[in-house]
Amino acid sequence: MAILLSTKSATMAAWRDALLEVDPSLEVRLFPEAGDPAEIEAAVCWTAHDMAELRRYPNLRLIVSMGAGVDHLMRPPGPPPGIPVARLVDTRLTQGMTEWVLLNVLRFHRQDAEYRAQQAARIWHELPAPDTAARRIGILGLGELGGDAARRLLALGFPVMGWSRRPKDLPGVEGFHGAAGLEAMLARSDILVCLLPLTPDTRGLLDARRLGLLPRGAFLLNAARGGHVVQPDLLAALDAGHLAGAALDVFEPEPLPADHPFWAHPKVVLTPHAASITIPRSAAPQVVENIHRAREGRP
Ligand code: OXD
């Protein structure tokens, strides 16, 4: 039986080497060279893979996402019925995301754009000192990624709030849940960080009305999925001066078209879906464990 990898070809080679390092007995094939479809027992894939194609493998028993998100696997027609889907929960992936969140929280909190503009104009001028204890941070999503970012922001001295689908108790984090909880948290978030999974319930969550609930002068960080934000509504909120800035790593569509206004917007800093990138050697042990679990019929 064989494992099928499907992503960009350079990345597939790194994944193959990493999986073989953990379990040299695996047979790894690189899409589209799948060989006999009956021999594929697991597919490890990333966003470009066509889910319909996975129905060609009659003995498939596991699908693995190469990232923390699985929304790409849920796009119609979705995974073949009854086949378990695993995502990555990886310390390096979490660390990368937390670094991106801290970078951008501190960028806004410490008035980096203003100081860079002053530097360009050779202006020696001290801006009012930022008050960490007064800068309230709201995190949408308190899972692996949101929970870690929350802990590190707390350690820096920020007041941290978190919103999750179900009530969650994280020491030091003021928790909110449900629709009413969302509105209450937005109204108090000077910096809002979106780290939610993209589901039918969270698509378009940050629309004009909800962005309007943020305090005037708030900042938005989105490293979850472009679909969480109604992009024209975000542009309008930035242009109207309601929001002071946005750090964006994810867009809809991706790549962001070259003529999109986000590219040159003075209040937007953007990265090309690179906030946290999976390192195959770090993730391989859990993927191999999941393959063994699937073979043994374990969860
Ligand atoms: C992920 C991502 O889901 O990189 O891990 O977007």
Side-chain angles (χ1 to χ4, degrees), residues 11 15 22 52 76 108 112 122 137 139 145 161 191 203 213 225 231 234 237 250 255 260 273 288 295-296:
T11 317
W15 269 98
V22 180
F108 292 136
D112 191 53
R122 297 167 190 259
I137 303 191
I139 302 181
L145 303 177
M161 302 169 285
I191 299 181
R203 174 169 285 284
L213 295 174
R225 288 291 180 262
Q231 295 180 158
L234 173 59
V250 286
H260 196 283
H273 201 142
V288 170
R295 279 181 186 164
E296 292 154 17

Side-chain angles (χ1 to χ4, degrees), residues 30-52:
L30 310 189
F31 186 79
E33 309 297 330
D36 179 355
E39 289 171 3
I40 301 298
E41 62 171 334
V44 182
C45 31
W46 191 229
T47 51
H49 199 84
D50 173 10
M51 282 296 106

